[in-house]
Amino acid sequence: MDSLLTSYSYVPWLTISIVMPAIGAFLIPIIFSRKSPREHPRDLIEGDDGYALEQLRWYSLFFTSISFCSTVMGYITQYDPTVSGLQLIEKWEWIPILHLNWSLGADGLSMPLILLTSFVTNLAVLASWTVLYKPRLFFFLMLVMNAGQIAVFAAQNMILFFLTWELELVPVYLLLAIWGGKKRQYAATKFILYTAISSIFILIVALTMASQNGNIPSYEYTDLAGALLDKKSQIICYAALLIAFGVKLPIVPLHTWLPDAHGEATAPVHMLLAGILLKMGGYALLRFNAQLLPDAHAEFAPLLVLLGAINIVYAALTSFAEKSLKRKIAYSSISHMGFVLIGLGSLSDLSTSGAMLQMISHGLIGASLFFLVGAIYDRTDTLLLADMGGIGQRMKRLFALWTICCLASLALPGMSGFVAEVMVLAGFTTSEVYTLSFRVVIAIVAALGVIITPVYLLAIIRQLFFGKDANQNNSLSLSPENVSVDAEPREIYIISCLIIPVIIIGLYPRIMTDSYKSSIEALVSRDIAAASKTIRYPAARLISQVPLQQAPNLRDFS
């Protein structure tokens, strides 16, 4: 067995996981060329191209499966969870004149999210079976998204990171603008304006930090970590990156694009937005703000905690008041990402590890909830909860799936969300980095959000499956055939694939936390050292002035 693993230890798994979906995407126009001039989507089912559509679906799933298997093989054969440094290193010169290398790698901050990305994208392609309008373009964009999002997490060169970050925006824009709802153009334009404009700060910071590396600029993360930036420059760079990544996370008040995007997107795009896109913002804050700018991170950490508490309560209250099912779940996602911000700003091993676990947990739970939203819309042709109800008797399997996913989202004990939120709050409240009064206030505010969450999630179940029968609502024109269709085997399979890991992690969290424990501990130790220095900025008044001690770590939690 060891000799077999050794034989795979030199395979560039990360490059394969990125390049293969990209190759698959660009071969689609060649392999699946249109045989007839007909434009109507029914032609792909009933006409000469009917078999081609089925082939296209399995073709796309094949390439995303290769990508997923490649990331799994990379984890099994080349990744050591006990090592905090960079692994799976793949580096080649690409454009030397621009100091741009094809530089990939993974550590505890990125490897779990690379696995999450390839896994969720694979299921999102399977969820795209019902797409009939322009299917070749749709699956092309899905494969490009797969390649771009893995590259974001695997890149070890900041210019390469910027390029893949921007590349990922184009497919999302087109997926919203072409396959979205009635307000798709507005939602797509708002998305691209928010994300593209804020991304300019990434390029500016990359150029600034690289210019401080000596005579030869370098954009490698390892070189940028040693950039000779003074405290003021670090703070300016940190603030710029906080805006860029805060839009993607999203942080209130930079969040307004997300409910609109979710409100118009199709189910597979929902899965990518909630399962992966938001995690890119959290990962980038860990990678760049916390790891490369530790002195500035010590100054901004209290602000991150405050913003996290605001995210939790504001988004939970807004979700409670929303009448659209999609927008309710969208604001729920914003609320859950508030725990990530608290964990990032906690300067605690346990809490930061909880933030990472929350990203993984929400990636799975959020994708499952939005997939179920799409399933409900396909059957009822409405998103307004007031127009729904009474379908529980005819959709018993969907009712069971919705109940399980909502219980996971409200952090039921035994689910991964419960473990993640407990880790975040326990690590923050027991840390001596912040003053006692600050910890108490934040804990109370976060607890308020935790209380509100079950209220609106359970209300969703009640309004969907109980009460007045939707067929008896004269304001709707629903098809009795559609309303009566329960969950299909394909839908049950997708939800099972997403929820089973949630339960496994909830019952035995070390199966996930051990994969990034070493990297988190190294990161937090560096940030603690930075926070221990003399602090002159107003935000530091919330930081305890006693000698800082390490908060309870992951070993204590285990």
Side-chain angles (χ1 to χ4, degrees):
M1 183 64 179
D2 291 340
S3 61
L4 181 62
L5 294 178
T6 302
S7 65
Y8 290 109
S9 61
Y10 299 103
V11 177
W13 294 115
L14 292 178
T15 299
I16 292 173
S17 68
I18 296 169
V19 172
M20 287 304 292
I23 292 175
F26 286 100
L27 287 178
I28 286 178
I30 300 172
I31 298 176
F32 299 94
S33 58
R34 187 178 291 278
K35 296 180 181 178
S36 63
R38 293 173 295 184
E39 295 292 337
H40 197 280
R42 289 184 180 273
D43 295 335
L44 289 171
I45 302 174
E46 301 172 355
D48 297 334
D49 291 0
Y51 187 58
L53 176 59
E54 192 70 15
Q55 285 182 320
L56 175 61
R57 292 166 175 167
W58 288 105
Y59 171 90
S60 303
L61 186 62
F62 171 74
F63 276 96
T64 56
S65 297
I66 290 178
S67 180
F68 173 59
C69 291
S70 298
T71 59
V72 172
M73 286 298 295
Y75 181 85
I76 293 173
T77 62
Q78 298 181 25
Y79 184 75
D80 182 358
T82 63
V83 176
S84 62
L86 192 64
Q87 304 173 67
L88 286 85
I89 300 173
E90 302 166 15
K91 186 175 180 180
W92 297 279
E93 281 194 354
W94 187 13
I95 309 177
I97 193 172
L98 298 178
H99 309 285
L100 178 58
N101 300 321
W102 180 260
S103 182
L104 306 177
D107 57 8
L109 303 183
S110 58
M111 193 70 228
L113 297 173
I114 290 173
L115 291 169
L116 175 71
T117 298
S118 59
F119 179 63
V120 172
T121 305
N122 190 252
L123 294 175
V125 168
L126 184 58
S128 306
W129 244 237
T130 56
V131 173
L132 302 178
Y133 181 67
K134 297 184 181 296
R136 292 180 302 163
L137 178 58
F138 185 90
F139 285 107
F140 171 86
L141 295 173
M142 292 291 283
L143 290 175
V144 172
M145 280 274 286
N146 189 13
Q149 291 178 329
I150 292 177
V152 165
F153 295 118
Q156 297 300 315
N157 180 292
M158 198 165 182
I159 293 297
L160 179 61
F161 171 87
F162 171 74
L163 292 176
T164 54
W165 182 278
E166 292 293 287
L167 171 66
E168 166 270 332
L169 300 181
V170 179
V172 177
Y173 171 78
L174 292 175
L175 288 167
L176 286 172
I178 298 174
W179 289 272
K182 295 180 181 179
K183 297 182 180 180
R184 57 184 180 274
Q185 296 296 336
Y186 171 78
T189 302
K190 192 172 184 179
F191 165 80
I192 202 69
L193 286 176
Y194 268 67
T195 52
I197 292 175
S198 63
S199 299
I200 296 174
F201 292 115
I202 302 174
L203 180 60
I204 294 173
V205 171
L207 297 173
T208 301
M209 296 183 67
S211 67
Q212 303 299 314
N213 281 333
N215 296 329
I216 302 178
S218 173
Y219 300 100
E220 301 294 306
Y221 294 168
T222 51
D223 296 327
L224 294 178
L228 302 176
L229 293 175
D230 57 34
K231 187 69 165 287
K232 185 176 181 180
S233 298
Q234 275 202 38
I235 288 177
I236 294 174
C237 289
Y238 191 105
L241 292 177
L242 183 60
I243 295 172
F245 304 143
V247 168
K248 192 66 70 76
L249 188 69
I251 299 174
V252 176
L254 305 174
H255 68 288
T256 57
W257 66 270
L258 182 64
D260 292 318
H262 271 307
E264 303 304 320
T266 58
V269 181
H270 279 313
M271 295 174 69
L272 297 181
L273 284 173
I276 302 169
L277 205 72
L278 307 189
K279 313 309 171 289
M280 290 166 57
Y283 162 77
L285 286 173
L286 272 173
R287 175 67 71 193
F288 297 102
N289 294 58
Q291 188 176 63
L292 301 186
L293 302 168
D295 292 339
H297 184 62
E299 302 289 354
F300 277 88
L303 177 62
L304 291 182
V305 174
L306 287 170
L307 290 173
I310 292 171
N311 258 45
I312 292 171
V313 175
Y314 170 81
L317 290 172
T318 306
S319 179
F320 184 78
E322 278 289 344
K323 301 185 183 302
S324 166
L325 182 58
K326 283 186 178 181
R327 292 178 70 90
K328 265 187 179 293
I329 304 299
Y331 276 106
S332 174
S333 295
I334 298 172
S335 179
H336 283 93
M337 294 306 288
F339 286 96
V340 176
L341 285 172
I342 293 178
L344 293 179
S346 67
L347 304 179
S348 156
D349 280 352
L350 182 58
S351 195
T352 306
S353 178
M356 175 64 79
L357 188 61
Q358 177 74 344
M359 286 194 283
I360 298 166
S361 173
H362 182 265
L364 298 169
I365 298 170
S368 64
L369 280 173
F370 276 112
F371 175 71
L372 289 176
V373 170
I376 289 293
Y377 180 73
D378 290 341
R379 290 160 170 82
T380 63
D381 294 324
T382 183
L383 292 171
L384 296 176
L385 285 167
D387 295 336
M388 301 180 186
I391 60 176
Q393 288 296 320
R394 282 168 293 175
M395 299 186 188
K396 295 179 181 179
R397 291 193 294 272
L398 263 179
F399 169 64
L401 295 178
W402 263 98
T403 302
I404 294 170
C405 292
C406 283
L407 291 176
S409 185
L410 62 82
L412 182 76
M415 303 284 196
S416 58
F418 172 78
V419 179
E421 293 181 11
V422 167
M423 289 175 69
V424 169
L425 295 179
F428 176 75
T429 55
T430 58
S431 172
E432 294 185 2
V433 172
Y434 293 101
T435 60
L436 178 60
S437 58
F438 183 62
R439 283 180 278 158
V440 169
V441 170
I442 295 299
I444 292 173
V445 174
L448 179 62
V450 171
I451 294 171
I452 298 171
T453 300
V455 176
Y456 65 76
L457 286 174
L458 295 177
I460 288 175
I461 296 177
R462 177 182 59 79
Q463 290 177 281
L464 274 178
F465 297 99
F466 300 99
K468 186 178 180 180
D469 194 320
N471 266 345
Q472 299 175 3
N473 192 334
N474 295 327
S475 66
L476 290 176
S477 178
L478 300 180
S479 168
E481 296 177 357
N482 286 340
V483 174
S484 299
V485 174
D486 205 346
E488 302 170 356
R490 177 181 60 89
E491 295 170 328
I492 295 173
Y493 172 78
I494 292 172
I495 294 299
S496 298
C497 288
L498 292 167
I499 289 300
I500 288 175
V502 170
I503 297 173
I504 292 174
I505 295 171
L507 296 176
Y508 188 66
R510 286 188 61 179
I511 196 172
M512 184 55 64
T513 58
D514 282 354
S515 67
Y516 56 77
K517 176 173 67 176
S518 297
S519 296
I520 291 293
E521 289 178 349
L523 173 69
V524 174
S525 295
R526 188 178 180 187
D527 291 335
I528 286 284
S532 299
K533 298 177 182 178
T534 303
I535 306 174
R536 298 169 297 164
Y537 294 88
R541 294 171 186 167
L542 298 174
I543 295 180
S544 174
Q545 299 303 304
V546 301
L548 298 181
Q549 300 176 6
Q550 184 59 281
N553 60 30
L554 303 185
R555 297 185 184 88
D556 297 331
F557 185 78
S558 301

